[in-house]
Amino acid sequence: MDKSKSISTMELWAKLFQAPTVNMYLSENDSSINQITFSEYITNLCNSRGEKAEKILKRSNIETSFGHRLFSGKRNPSRDTVLQLAFGFGMSVDEAQQLLKISRQTPLHPKVKRDAVIAFFLHNQQPLEELQIALYDNRLPVLGGKKHEQVRISRCSQCCPGR
């Protein structure tokens, strides 16, 4: 099969159900069903954008040594980590959805309050720090969880000088 030609999911379903055996389906469609790894994808993104992983990690507010384990494939990201990376890369909502898909995480959904806030900030290209404040202000878990206290302190110092 020509690897440059993309097969739709509908076509793959049809091929799967028409195949005489699952092994035949797998061998004939290997290039269409073997997905790039998350670490390969984010490394390729850095290379194509001419950016270093360290800059992406810093903008993502991800600790450097943990981030390098993500880039090397030694660690798998949580959904929050993937979303932090989406902000670090300055992704659109569609690009973030693709990143979530590649990492095998659930996509953002507009009926989920926290997801709606995150998608709004991605769509409007607003920084991660502002998202964290909006999540906190709406009593929603901030990305990364542990940074909740930092967001509260940061927010308080903005509205309560001298704290």
Side-chain angles (χ1 to χ4, degrees):
M1 188 189 130
D2 180 10
K3 289 187 179 190
S4 64
K5 189 175 180 185
S6 180
I7 296 178
S8 73
T9 303
M10 294 288 284
E11 290 173 302
L12 283 173
W13 278 119
K15 286 182 173 206
L16 174 63
F17 296 140
Q18 292 168 358
T21 68
V22 72
N23 287 340
M24 187 175 285
Y25 166 78
L26 293 174
S27 67
E28 289 177 359
N29 297 286
D30 185 59
S31 64
S32 295
I33 58 178
N34 280 333
Q35 193 175 10
I36 188 171
T37 67
F38 182 75
S39 63
E40 291 170 333
Y41 188 78
I42 60 175
T43 299
N44 291 345
L45 269 178
C46 279
N47 293 338
S48 69
R49 294 174 179 212
E51 292 205 69
K52 298 227 180 270
E54 290 80 14
K55 287 204 174 219
I56 300 298
L57 294 171
K58 185 173 183 173
R59 288 195 304 259
S60 302
N61 201 17
I62 294 173
E63 194 271 320
T64 307
S65 64
F66 175 72
H68 284 295
R69 290 192 297 269
L70 292 172
F71 274 87
S72 69
K74 292 178 181 168
R75 290 293 307 262
N76 292 320
S78 67
R79 186 172 188 261
D80 277 9
T81 300
V82 173
L83 291 167
Q84 286 176 259
L85 284 168
F87 278 90
F89 277 110
M91 292 181 159
S92 67
V93 175
D94 288 341
E95 291 168 326
Q97 296 286 52
Q98 179 67 17
L99 192 63
L100 285 163
K101 179 181 174 183
I102 289 168
S103 70
R104 299 186 185 327
Q105 301 291 339
T106 58
L108 293 169
H109 197 287
K111 286 187 177 182
V112 176
K113 190 184 246 187
R114 183 175 187 248
D115 285 2
V117 173
I118 293 167
F120 180 88
F121 276 75
L122 283 167
H123 176 76
N124 290 292
Q125 296 290 296
Q126 294 180 331
L128 178 60
E129 296 77 21
E130 293 298 317
L131 166 68
Q132 299 287 48
I133 292 168
L135 289 169
Y136 179 80
D137 286 349
N138 285 285
R139 295 191 168 109
L140 298 167
V142 297
L143 290 180
K146 296 176 192 168
K147 295 166 188 72
H148 186 79
E149 188 64 21
Q150 292 171 328
V151 171
R152 186 184 62 76
I153 292 167
S154 170
R155 182 66 175 151
C156 242
S157 66
Q158 287 179 4
C159 61
C160 307
R163 273 193 141 173

